[in-house]
Amino acid sequence: MLITDVEVEGYGRVDVRLGGGRVVGIGRRRAGRGDVDGRGGALLVGLHDHHVHLAALAAEAASVRVGPAEAGDRDGLVGALRSGPPGEWVRAVGYHESVAGELDRWVLDGFAPDRPVRVQHRSGALWMWNSAALRAAGLDGGGDGRFWREDERLRGFTPPVRLDLRGVGSRAAAYGITGFTNADPHPGQDLPELLSVLPQRLVVMGIGDAPVKFLLDDATLPTPGELAASVAAVRPRPVAVHCVTRVQLLVTLLALEEAGPVAGDRIEHGSVIPAETMPWLARLGVTVVTQPHFPMERGREYATDVDPDDQAHLYRCRSLAEAGIPLAAGTDAPYGSADPWAVMRAAVERSGGEAVDPRAVLDLFAGEPQHPSRARRLTVGAVADLCLLHVPLREALDLMSADVVHATFVGGRRITPTE
């Protein structure tokens, strides 16, 4: 394939030839037609979403969104849960207590008594079921209908959910995404096959040589020694440790110190990173895979939910980079926006000294799949996972919008619809 008249960093306006799944030539523009006319738009390495939950994202098509932005308040939540025919299961996602307070079976019974309802908290960690759902599943043992991190057990008690994976892949291609790292903590062995319909490249945590995911919760937090032993047991494979609180981060750093870090070790989220821990992180060389859009998406809720002592340390970005800490980003979709351009725009617009330069923020989604802080570059011999823009790079960095994406290629094959 020949892509003509594109802007490539370090080369200017050139033609780029692809073959055998790689970039085989970058050279001066020639007369004649190619397979794709870039019309002076930038040709970049494709974006990689370094932290996403693909099955949950695919289930959104069969779900009702009831977060603060969608439901708004109690009346909006009630209306959303009562939509659709009586008696049918309702799967609601994205809930936060700012909408209508704490939910349990009895509160949900008052909202929607005539159908089985299950509501997932925005964090993804908690499901809340009403009495009709508990009865339908044979789980009505007198509990409050709140299930914390019990997805695996609950899956067998609910009707199958249609997973729109083709839609996920198509929308991602329109964003310029050529690869995903699926971050589920307990992936089934059949998950790679399920996800194989996606046209993007895949890294599935816990499968093959991908990092092993460790999910920490404060209520069941291991000691540093216990976590170090668990980490040592999976070596030489790298680990990806879910850290959303100060104490989880400290336990993880102590455990990695004891077990010894290896290339590819990651901290997922790094929601709270006190300044005094940054030299420690830099010394260990562990990569932080962050979500810099969360303070923008969830600012109102964070202002009341997060301990005041932690407010200044939320989802650091610029300060991590300046401290020499390897850094990358993921959307955490569906628990955050699936649009990496929206994430990048949020990172650029951050307040409080954490804003990132537009060119640098692009590299947060340009890292190698197995080593996300190592930014890929478009050179001869590189894998032909590419994103072609309608506009030059400078204009794209000003706009920071998915509207700039013209075409997406994986292994030299175009995965966006032909115009």
Side-chain angles (χ1 to χ4, degrees):
M1 177 181 289
L2 179 64
I3 306 175
T4 60
D5 190 16
V6 290
E7 177 195 70
V8 176
E9 281 190 290
Y11 293 90
R13 287 178 71 165
V14 293
D15 294 345
V16 175
R17 185 173 295 279
L18 314 179
R22 293 186 176 271
V23 177
V24 297
I26 302 175
R28 64 184 180 85
R29 286 184 288 161
R30 299 175 180 273
R33 298 184 61 182
D35 299 289
V36 178
D37 184 355
R39 301 177 184 176
L43 185 64
L44 312 174
V45 296
L47 306 181
H48 189 99
D49 187 340
H50 294 289
H51 185 114
V52 64
H53 302 274
L54 290 165
L57 181 58
E60 276 206 317
S63 307
V64 179
R65 290 206 62 84
V66 293
E70 298 87 12
D73 56 17
R74 179 187 180 280
D75 290 343
L77 174 63
V78 171
L81 298 182
R82 291 182 180 178
S83 62
E88 287 192 359
W89 277 80
V90 176
R91 183 183 192 271
V93 298
Y95 183 76
H96 182 267
E97 291 79 7
S98 61
V99 173
E102 296 277 351
L103 300 183
D104 58 25
R105 66 182 295 177
W106 301 287
V107 174
L108 290 172
D109 288 349
F111 291 169
D114 64 341
R115 68 202 66 201
V117 169
R118 54 186 176 130
V119 180
Q120 188 184 46
H121 192 269
R122 183 175 66 183
S123 66
L126 175 66
W127 281 99
M128 297 152 284
W129 291 30
N130 72 350
S131 295
L134 293 168
R135 287 193 298 269
L139 295 174
D140 193 5
D144 62 4
R146 291 167 63 88
F147 299 96
W148 177 262
R149 296 214 187 278
E150 294 193 60
D151 286 49
E152 287 184 276
R153 182 171 79 90
L154 296 177
R155 198 168 291 127
F157 292 100
T158 59
V161 176
R162 184 179 69 85
L163 300 182
D164 183 22
L165 285 164
R166 294 190 186 279
V168 168
S170 178
R171 288 186 291 274
Y175 295 143
I177 293 175
T178 58
F180 293 110
T181 295
N182 189 78
D184 295 350
H186 305 292
Q189 291 299 312
D190 61 341
L191 185 60
E193 182 179 355
L194 176 70
L195 300 179
S196 65
V197 301
L198 294 166
Q200 286 83 9
R201 296 186 190 275
L202 293 171
V203 175
V204 179
M205 285 187 183
I207 303 292
D209 60 354
V212 177
K213 177 82 175 282
F214 285 86
L215 183 64
L216 302 184
D217 286 314
D218 285 0
T220 57
L221 198 62
T223 67
E226 290 168 342
L227 182 57
S230 297
V231 170
V234 303
R235 291 302 197 211
R237 293 174 67 183
V239 296
V241 187
H242 166 104
C243 292
V244 297
T245 66
R246 182 187 296 245
V247 67
Q248 289 170 19
L249 177 68
L250 293 174
V251 167
T252 298
L253 294 177
L254 287 166
L256 290 175
E257 189 83 72
E258 181 176 338
V262 302
D265 280 344
R266 306 158 46 131
I267 286 176
E268 305 302 309
H269 309 300
S271 307
V272 180
I273 299 181
E276 60 269 22
T277 66
M278 291 199 290
W280 195 358
L281 273 166
R283 179 169 53 80
L284 289 173
V286 62
T287 297
V288 175
V289 180
T290 187
Q291 287 74 47
H293 53 312
F294 278 2
M296 301 284 282
E297 288 186 1
R298 305 177 176 185
R300 186 181 68 176
E301 293 82 17
Y302 282 170
T304 56
D305 293 353
V306 175
D307 189 299
D309 289 342
D310 290 338
Q311 294 280 350
H313 310 302
L314 281 173
Y315 289 96
R316 290 182 179 275
C317 206
R318 180 174 182 169
S319 58
L320 295 181
E322 290 178 343
I325 295 165
L327 188 64
T331 65
D332 200 26
Y335 311 115
S337 170
D339 179 357
W341 295 92
V343 176
M344 290 187 276
R345 188 166 60 249
V348 169
E349 295 173 354
R350 285 279 299 272
S351 60
E354 291 297 336
V356 183
D357 173 82
R359 182 61 191 84
V361 80
L362 188 62
D363 280 345
L364 298 182
F365 286 95
E368 297 176 9
Q370 294 283 14
H371 299 283
S373 65
R374 298 179 188 172
R376 293 166 288 138
R377 292 288 181 258
L378 204 169
T379 58
V380 174
V383 174
D385 294 351
L386 306 171
C387 173
L388 174 62
L389 307 184
H390 288 290
V391 297
L393 180 58
R394 178 178 295 179
E395 186 174 343
L397 295 178
D398 286 340
L399 294 170
M400 279 297 178
S401 167
D403 291 340
V404 302
V405 177
H406 175 66
T408 304
F409 305 84
V410 173
R413 180 176 65 88
R414 184 169 180 168
I415 63 171
T416 45
T418 302
E419 296 180 357

mmCIF file of all heavy atoms in Angstrom, residues 198-221:
data_model
loop_
_atom_site.group_PDB
_atom_site.id
_atom_site.type_symbol
_atom_site.label_atom_id
_atom_site.label_comp_id
_atom_site.label_asym_id
_atom_site.label_seq_id
_atom_site.Cartn_x
_atom_site.Cartn_y
_atom_site.Cartn_z
ATOM 1 N N LEU A 198 -12.253 -8.167 17.391
ATOM 2 C CA LEU A 198 -11.773 -6.783 17.297
ATOM 3 C C LEU A 198 -10.658 -6.700 16.262
ATOM 4 O O LEU A 198 -9.775 -7.560 16.223
ATOM 5 C CB LEU A 198 -11.254 -6.310 18.652
ATOM 6 C CG LEU A 198 -12.291 -6.173 19.763
ATOM 7 C CD1 LEU A 198 -11.602 -6.025 21.117
ATOM 8 C CD2 LEU A 198 -13.209 -4.986 19.506
ATOM 9 N N PRO A 199 -10.627 -5.665 15.453
ATOM 10 C CA PRO A 199 -9.545 -5.531 14.469
ATOM 11 C C PRO A 199 -8.252 -5.014 15.076
ATOM 12 O O PRO A 199 -7.205 -5.050 14.432
ATOM 13 C CB PRO A 199 -10.121 -4.533 13.461
ATOM 14 C CG PRO A 199 -11.061 -3.691 14.254
ATOM 15 C CD PRO A 199 -11.665 -4.624 15.280
ATOM 16 N N GLN A 200 -8.314 -4.520 16.303
ATOM 17 C CA GLN A 200 -7.120 -3.975 16.958
ATOM 18 C C GLN A 200 -6.249 -5.088 17.544
ATOM 19 O O GLN A 200 -6.722 -6.204 17.802
ATOM 20 C CB GLN A 200 -7.533 -3.009 18.080
ATOM 21 C CG GLN A 200 -8.059 -1.681 17.609
ATOM 22 C CD GLN A 200 -9.531 -1.701 17.227
ATOM 23 O OE1 GLN A 200 -10.224 -2.690 17.462
ATOM 24 N NE2 GLN A 200 -10.016 -0.613 16.652
ATOM 25 N N ARG A 201 -4.983 -4.761 17.794
ATOM 26 C CA ARG A 201 -4.094 -5.674 18.510
ATOM 27 C C ARG A 201 -4.487 -5.704 19.984
ATOM 28 O O ARG A 201 -4.977 -4.714 20.527
ATOM 29 C CB ARG A 201 -2.635 -5.228 18.383
ATOM 30 C CG ARG A 201 -2.121 -5.274 16.961
ATOM 31 C CD ARG A 201 -0.644 -4.978 16.884
ATOM 32 N NE ARG A 201 -0.232 -4.811 15.512
ATOM 33 C CZ ARG A 201 0.111 -5.799 14.691
ATOM 34 N NH1 ARG A 201 0.094 -7.050 15.153
ATOM 35 N NH2 ARG A 201 0.471 -5.559 13.451
ATOM 36 N N LEU A 202 -4.214 -6.829 20.641
ATOM 37 C CA LEU A 202 -4.673 -7.020 22.012
ATOM 38 C C LEU A 202 -3.559 -7.477 22.928
ATOM 39 O O LEU A 202 -2.764 -8.350 22.579
ATOM 40 C CB LEU A 202 -5.793 -8.061 22.067
ATOM 41 C CG LEU A 202 -7.118 -7.702 21.402
ATOM 42 C CD1 LEU A 202 -8.026 -8.919 21.358
ATOM 43 C CD2 LEU A 202 -7.797 -6.563 22.149
ATOM 44 N N VAL A 203 -3.504 -6.879 24.102
ATOM 45 C CA VAL A 203 -2.771 -7.412 25.244
ATOM 46 C C VAL A 203 -3.825 -7.676 26.306
ATOM 47 O O VAL A 203 -4.594 -6.784 26.651
ATOM 48 C CB VAL A 203 -1.728 -6.409 25.776
ATOM 49 C CG1 VAL A 203 -1.070 -6.949 27.050
ATOM 50 C CG2 VAL A 203 -0.678 -6.107 24.714
ATOM 51 N N VAL A 204 -3.898 -8.914 26.787
ATOM 52 C CA VAL A 204 -4.894 -9.275 27.799
ATOM 53 C C VAL A 204 -4.161 -9.602 29.088
ATOM 54 O O VAL A 204 -3.448 -10.605 29.169
ATOM 55 C CB VAL A 204 -5.752 -10.470 27.346
ATOM 56 C CG1 VAL A 204 -6.773 -10.841 28.425
ATOM 57 C CG2 VAL A 204 -6.463 -10.144 26.033
ATOM 58 N N MET A 205 -4.287 -8.737 30.077
ATOM 59 C CA MET A 205 -3.595 -8.968 31.344
ATOM 60 C C MET A 205 -3.934 -10.346 31.896
ATOM 61 O O MET A 205 -5.084 -10.777 31.885
ATOM 62 C CB MET A 205 -3.981 -7.899 32.362
ATOM 63 C CG MET A 205 -3.349 -6.559 32.112
ATOM 64 S SD MET A 205 -3.688 -5.412 33.478
ATOM 65 C CE MET A 205 -2.914 -3.927 32.847
ATOM 66 N N GLY A 206 -2.884 -11.031 32.382
ATOM 67 C CA GLY A 206 -3.069 -12.342 32.970
ATOM 68 C C GLY A 206 -2.966 -13.483 31.990
ATOM 69 O O GLY A 206 -2.958 -14.648 32.396
ATOM 70 N N ILE A 207 -2.898 -13.185 30.684
ATOM 71 C CA ILE A 207 -2.848 -14.207 29.648
ATOM 72 C C ILE A 207 -1.496 -14.127 28.940
ATOM 73 O O ILE A 207 -1.032 -13.044 28.578
ATOM 74 C CB ILE A 207 -3.982 -14.040 28.625
ATOM 75 C CG1 ILE A 207 -5.355 -14.067 29.308
ATOM 76 C CG2 ILE A 207 -3.902 -15.118 27.550
ATOM 77 C CD1 ILE A 207 -5.747 -15.389 29.906
ATOM 78 N N GLY A 208 -0.865 -15.286 28.718
ATOM 79 C CA GLY A 208 0.409 -15.317 28.010
ATOM 80 C C GLY A 208 1.490 -14.597 28.785
ATOM 81 O O GLY A 208 1.644 -14.783 29.996
ATOM 82 N N ASP A 209 2.243 -13.733 28.098
ATOM 83 C CA ASP A 209 3.328 -13.002 28.764
ATOM 84 C C ASP A 209 2.917 -11.598 29.175
ATOM 85 O O ASP A 209 3.757 -10.774 29.517
ATOM 86 C CB ASP A 209 4.565 -12.946 27.864
ATOM 87 C CG ASP A 209 4.297 -12.245 26.533
ATOM 88 O OD1 ASP A 209 3.126 -11.908 26.262
ATOM 89 O OD2 ASP A 209 5.251 -12.058 25.748
ATOM 90 N N ALA A 210 1.611 -11.318 29.151
ATOM 91 C CA ALA A 210 1.121 -10.003 29.570
ATOM 92 C C ALA A 210 1.270 -9.851 31.076
ATOM 93 O O ALA A 210 1.382 -10.834 31.818
ATOM 94 C CB ALA A 210 -0.338 -9.833 29.166
ATOM 95 N N PRO A 211 1.278 -8.615 31.581
ATOM 96 C CA PRO A 211 1.372 -8.418 33.032
ATOM 97 C C PRO A 211 0.241 -9.120 33.775
ATOM 98 O O PRO A 211 -0.878 -9.250 33.263
ATOM 99 C CB PRO A 211 1.254 -6.893 33.186
ATOM 100 C CG PRO A 211 1.675 -6.336 31.867
ATOM 101 C CD PRO A 211 1.227 -7.333 30.850
ATOM 102 N N VAL A 212 0.542 -9.556 34.972
ATOM 103 C CA VAL A 212 -0.456 -10.178 35.839
ATOM 104 C C VAL A 212 -1.085 -9.075 36.685
ATOM 105 O O VAL A 212 -0.386 -8.326 37.356
ATOM 106 C CB VAL A 212 0.183 -11.249 36.735
ATOM 107 C CG1 VAL A 212 -0.858 -11.844 37.694
ATOM 108 C CG2 VAL A 212 0.815 -12.345 35.879
ATOM 109 N N LYS A 213 -2.407 -9.007 36.662
ATOM 110 C CA LYS A 213 -3.119 -7.940 37.378
ATOM 111 C C LYS A 213 -3.330 -8.334 38.844
ATOM 112 O O LYS A 213 -3.778 -9.438 39.150
ATOM 113 C CB LYS A 213 -4.476 -7.702 36.712
ATOM 114 C CG LYS A 213 -5.371 -6.656 37.379
ATOM 115 C CD LYS A 213 -4.998 -5.253 36.962
ATOM 116 C CE LYS A 213 -5.958 -4.214 37.528
ATOM 117 N NZ LYS A 213 -7.230 -4.146 36.800
ATOM 118 N N PHE A 214 -3.011 -7.408 39.738
ATOM 119 C CA PHE A 214 -3.309 -7.550 41.169
ATOM 120 C C PHE A 214 -4.285 -6.434 41.546
ATOM 121 O O PHE A 214 -3.985 -5.255 41.372
ATOM 122 C CB PHE A 214 -2.047 -7.453 42.012
ATOM 123 C CG PHE A 214 -1.183 -8.679 41.965
ATOM 124 C CD1 PHE A 214 -0.242 -8.843 40.963
ATOM 125 C CD2 PHE A 214 -1.325 -9.682 42.912
ATOM 126 C CE1 PHE A 214 0.559 -9.975 40.912
ATOM 127 C CE2 PHE A 214 -0.535 -10.820 42.871
ATOM 128 C CZ PHE A 214 0.408 -10.972 41.859
ATOM 129 N N LEU A 215 -5.440 -6.827 42.056
ATOM 130 C CA LEU A 215 -6.480 -5.880 42.431
ATOM 131 C C LEU A 215 -6.484 -5.720 43.938
ATOM 132 O O LEU A 215 -6.718 -6.674 44.675
ATOM 133 C CB LEU A 215 -7.839 -6.384 41.949
ATOM 134 C CG LEU A 215 -9.041 -5.490 42.200
ATOM 135 C CD1 LEU A 215 -8.897 -4.181 41.440
ATOM 136 C CD2 LEU A 215 -10.321 -6.205 41.781
ATOM 137 N N LEU A 216 -6.200 -4.500 44.415
ATOM 138 C CA LEU A 216 -6.135 -4.239 45.848
ATOM 139 C C LEU A 216 -7.381 -3.490 46.307
ATOM 140 O O LEU A 216 -7.858 -2.584 45.621
ATOM 141 C CB LEU A 216 -4.894 -3.409 46.188
ATOM 142 C CG LEU A 216 -3.536 -3.979 45.790
ATOM 143 C CD1 LEU A 216 -2.419 -3.065 46.287
ATOM 144 C CD2 LEU A 216 -3.348 -5.392 46.316
ATOM 145 N N ASP A 217 -7.888 -3.863 47.471
ATOM 146 C CA ASP A 217 -8.956 -3.139 48.155
ATOM 147 C C ASP A 217 -8.508 -2.894 49.585
ATOM 148 O O ASP A 217 -7.916 -3.784 50.217
ATOM 149 C CB ASP A 217 -10.260 -3.944 48.167
ATOM 150 C CG ASP A 217 -10.938 -3.976 46.811
ATOM 151 O OD1 ASP A 217 -11.043 -2.899 46.189
ATOM 152 O OD2 ASP A 217 -11.363 -5.056 46.376
ATOM 153 N N ASP A 218 -8.796 -1.722 50.112
ATOM 154 C CA ASP A 218 -8.344 -1.400 51.462
ATOM 155 C C ASP A 218 -8.872 -2.379 52.504
ATOM 156 O O ASP A 218 -8.169 -2.715 53.464
ATOM 157 C CB ASP A 218 -8.768 0.024 51.832
ATOM 158 C CG ASP A 218 -7.920 1.086 51.149
ATOM 159 O OD1 ASP A 218 -7.002 0.709 50.389
ATOM 160 O OD2 ASP A 218 -8.181 2.282 51.380
ATOM 161 N N ALA A 219 -10.107 -2.860 52.319
ATOM 162 C CA ALA A 219 -10.715 -3.741 53.321
ATOM 163 C C ALA A 219 -10.044 -5.105 53.385
ATOM 164 O O ALA A 219 -10.103 -5.782 54.418
ATOM 165 C CB ALA A 219 -12.205 -3.913 53.034
ATOM 166 N N THR A 220 -9.404 -5.521 52.305
ATOM 167 C CA THR A 220 -8.762 -6.843 52.261
ATOM 168 C C THR A 220 -7.287 -6.719 51.889
ATOM 169 O O THR A 220 -6.711 -7.632 51.299
ATOM 170 C CB THR A 220 -9.473 -7.748 51.247
ATOM 171 O OG1 THR A 220 -9.465 -7.116 49.953
ATOM 172 C CG2 THR A 220 -10.912 -8.026 51.668
ATOM 173 N N LEU A 221 -6.678 -5.603 52.235
ATOM 174 C CA LEU A 221 -5.331 -5.297 51.791
ATOM 175 C C LEU A 221 -4.314 -6.275 52.374
ATOM 176 O O LEU A 221 -4.275 -6.483 53.590
ATOM 177 C CB LEU A 221 -4.978 -3.867 52.208
ATOM 178 C CG LEU A 221 -3.803 -3.191 51.509
ATOM 179 C CD1 LEU A 221 -4.080 -3.051 50.018
ATOM 180 C CD2 LEU A 221 -3.554 -1.829 52.137
#
